Each structure stands twice: as C-alpha cells, then as structure tokens.
C-alpha cells in the first residue's frame, strides 16, 4: 500500500513545487500510517509496529529507490528539448511503474505480518472503507453524463499539462481535447475492476485468517497479488489496462511534440530540478543497501 501512497504523493508533488516534493516525501510514514489506519483502524499493539515498518520502508526507499528515480527524471529531462515517440514515453512510464512495483514487493513481509494480525472487526472495517471509496468514485464519475466525464478528464489533463509546460495555446488545448474525446476510458469498467481487486484483497485476507497461513505463504500470496495487479492475466481487464497505458503514451508524445521551444525548456528545467531534489533527499541519510 505504501507504493500507492509514494506514487500518489510524488506525482502530486511533481506538479507542485520542489519544496512540496521534499515535504511530501519526508512525511510519507506519517501520511502512510493515517491512510492505512483509515482502512484498518489499528489497535494499540499494531500501531507502533506499523509506524516502525513504514519508517524502515521509507529509509530503504530513500537509499535505494530515490537515486533510480532521479536517473529516470534525468533521462526524461534529456528527452524534453526534442520530439518524443509514444514508445519512448511508454519506456519511461514502464520504468516508473517498475520502481513502484519494487516498493510493493519490498513491503510484502511487513504486509504479511499485518495481514496475520487482523481481526474480524478490522476486516469489516476494510469492507466499510471500500464501500465509502466506491461511493466517492460513483459520485465523482458514474453520476456524470458521458459528456461531463469527458469534460472532467479534459480539465484534469489540462491542469497537469499546464503545471508542467505552462499555459497551453488554443491549438494545444484542442489537441488535448481531441485525445480525450477519442479515449477508451470507461468509468463503469474502471469501477468494476476496482471492486474486483477489492474483493480479491478481502478474499486473500480472509484466507490468511481461516487457513492460518504461515508467514512465508502469506508473503508469497501478497507478492502474487501485487504482480497480478501490475500485470493482469490475459482478459478484458488486462486489455483495458494496456489500452489506457498506450493512450497515456500517445497523449504524452502528441502533446509534447506540439509544445514550443519555451515550453519544452520549462519542462526540462522542472525535470532537472526534481532530479536534483531527489538526489538531495537520497543523500540526506547516505549509503545504499542491496535491492
């Protein structure tokens, strides 16, 4: 779960400021604890252990993953001045996703320990939390008409793009709108996939409890679930995930190739600044472990 938190906070920070990036990263254990507690409602015995595990995971991430993320940002910075292809965009996105997968796999032992300690009341709390997040998603997306859904996605893409490149001109905005209009994004399918993953998590946690799985087997099943989410078995869900990934790559390349030299320069400077900040964060405690 920390992989999701790291990904979400760093993505938000990268669209804000360098100081926001550092603040978000340094506060990940505290934010991560409260995010998890909202799902589980930790008891007095679990709380200190979860906090310690989050601190250890972030320390490992700081030493081992931040330099790799900085290298990826440096690679993106080197591409920013010129045109890029969808393949180059996908290569970068795949590399970032691989780093998040590594975090998730690293956290599997702690996740296994937590899973084995959950009570039935805490499993019901997770179910209730899922119901709340599903209701929020329904309000945000499913209650909207198709036209309103497209407008919401366009506004999101526009905000992110302008945070990165600066203000887009009319032609660039129209290009972005066309990409959204052609998108295969289906909120109903996304909702179904989310709910299926939620049920998979609950089934896994109940299996751990009812079968009294040993730590090694619990960890193996958690790691298998993480891999399944990252790379679903062939089928409709996997096809949708691949299609959306390709769309993201296409949109990234098409829009970038329509930006001006000044916009690309701004993007390059921002990427360089983020890479520098990540290296500073990595150097804060020094050293490196074996991945």
């Amino acid at each position: 779960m920390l992989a999701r938190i790291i990904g979400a906070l760093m993505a938000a920070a990268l669209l804000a400021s360098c100081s926001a990036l550092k603040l978000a990263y340094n506060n990940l254990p505290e934010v991560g604890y409260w995010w998890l507690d909202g799902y589980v409602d930790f008891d007095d015995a679990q709380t200190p252990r979860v906090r310690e595990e989050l601190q250890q995971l972030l320390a490992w991430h700081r030493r081992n993953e931040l330099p790799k993320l900085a290298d990826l940002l440096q690679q993106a910075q080197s591409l920013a001045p010129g045109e890029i292809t969808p393949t180059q965009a996908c290569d970068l996105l795949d590399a970032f996703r691989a780093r998040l997968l590594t975090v998730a796999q690293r956290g599997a032992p702690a996740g296994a320990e937590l899973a084995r300690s959950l009570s039935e009341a805490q499993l019901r709390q997770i179910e209730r939390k899922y119901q709340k997040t599903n209701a929020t998603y329904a309000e945000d997306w499913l209650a909207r008409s198709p036209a309103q859904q497209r407008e919401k996605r366009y506004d999101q893409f526009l905000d992110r793009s302008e945070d990165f490149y600066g203000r887009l001109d009319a032609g660039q905005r129209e290009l972005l709108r066309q990409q959204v209009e052609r998108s295969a994004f289906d909120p109903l399918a996304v909702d179904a996939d989310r709910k299926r993953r939620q049920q998979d998590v609950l089934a896994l946690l109940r299996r751990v409890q009812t079968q009294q799985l040993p730590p090694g087997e619990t960890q193996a099943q958690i790691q298998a679930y993480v891999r399944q989410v990252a790379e679903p078995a062939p089928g409709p869900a996997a096809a949708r995930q691949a299609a959306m990934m390709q769309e993201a790559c296409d949109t990234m390349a098409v829009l970038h190739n329509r930006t001006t030299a000044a916009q690309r320069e701004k993007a390059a400077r921002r990427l360089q600044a983020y890479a520098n900040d990540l290296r500073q964060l990595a150097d804060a405690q020094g050293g490196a472990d074996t991945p």
Side-chain angles (χ1 to χ4, degrees), residues 94-116:
D94 283 341
F96 278 107
R97 290 174 64 219
R99 303 292 10 118
L100 290 178
L101 179 59
T102 299
V103 179
Q105 297 286 18
R106 176 76 179 196
E113 180 179 338
L114 175 61
R116 297 178 75 249

Side-chain angles (χ1 to χ4, degrees), residues 97 137 153 183-197 229-230 232-248:
R97 290 174 64 219
Y137 181 86
R153 290 200 82 212
S183 175
F185 174 69
D186 180 355
L188 282 172
V190 172
D191 187 54
D193 290 341
R194 291 174 66 257
K195 290 177 178 176
R196 188 193 67 255
R197 287 194 297 270
V229 171
R240 283 193 295 271
Q241 181 169 304
M244 294 308 301
M245 181 68 173
Q246 187 60 54
E247 275 190 17

